[in-house]
Amino acid sequence: MPMSIILSLLLLQAPYALPGEAAVDPYVADNRHAGAVPFTGDGMAKAFGGQDGIRRIVDRFVAINFADPVIGEIFANHDKVRLKRTLFEQFCFILNAGCTYSGRDMASAHKDLGVQKADMNRLVETLQRAMSEEGVSFQAQNRFLSKLAPMRHDVIEK
């Protein structure tokens, strides 16, 4: 069977997942699903080291969370490849670093995960750690976190 047919069949099975990712239920991709309006200008993207810096932050953030003794169980059964990709897209889009977001909306993406307020607080701590390790200034971190903060309502289960 020609490679293009095989690839087409794989994409039909998982149209919202890239090679190496688990299949997901179909949804309509939309940048609004990123959960925040992007920053204007390129200052924040530069503060985060552009796409390369954002990718390193996301990779470290995901690694920390999967290994974390407090919240690691939330991530245990998640597709790490897809999570890294969609978090990178989300952060890159919000930081106005030239990306689009192809992931689900925040409420759908976090449905039935059982995320509580303490878990969300721990996520903020691990993100701050990843940003600090990459040399992102405290001021830039706070500006970014202020964009992410309103998403708490869609992530935390009541």
Side-chain angles (χ1 to χ4, degrees):
M1 190 178 282
M3 187 59 78
S4 61
I5 294 174
I6 293 171
L7 183 57
S8 295
L9 289 173
L10 289 172
L11 290 175
L12 285 174
Q13 292 174 356
Y16 303 97
L18 296 179
E21 298 176 2
V24 296
D25 292 335
Y27 59 90
V28 176
D30 188 318
N31 279 331
R32 291 176 291 186
H33 293 170
V37 175
F39 288 97
T40 57
D42 63 357
M44 285 297 286
K46 286 180 179 177
F48 277 71
Q51 289 188 11
D52 290 340
I54 295 165
R55 190 170 307 282
R56 287 189 298 271
I57 290 166
V58 167
D59 287 350
R60 183 68 179 130
F61 178 55
V62 170
I64 292 168
N65 288 322
F66 269 81
D68 191 90
V70 177
I71 60 172
E73 68 184 41
I74 293 172
F75 294 91
N77 295 316
H78 279 71
D79 181 345
K80 189 185 283 189
V81 174
R82 179 178 172 77
L83 180 62
K84 282 183 180 184
R85 177 178 62 81
T86 56
L87 275 175
F88 168 75
E89 290 174 359
Q90 181 188 36
F91 289 7
C92 184
F93 172 76
I94 293 170
L95 292 164
N96 199 23
C99 299
T100 58
Y101 178 67
S102 68
R104 292 175 288 185
D105 66 273
M106 294 302 100
S108 298
H110 297 89
K111 185 177 188 227
D112 298 328
L113 292 182
V115 177
Q116 300 298 307
K117 185 177 180 180
D119 302 323
M120 192 67 175
N121 291 340
R122 183 67 171 191
L123 280 170
V124 170
E125 291 171 6
T126 61
L127 179 54
Q128 287 173 310
R129 179 176 160 192
M131 292 186 294
S132 292
E133 288 177 7
E134 188 59 30
V136 177
S137 73
F138 187 70
Q139 179 185 13
Q141 288 183 36
N142 283 340
R143 287 188 68 206
F144 184 55
L145 291 171
S146 72
K147 286 276 193 181
L148 301 179
M151 295 178 207
R152 292 175 77 95
H153 303 292
D154 291 328
V155 174
I156 295 174
E157 289 193 10
K158 306 291 185 229

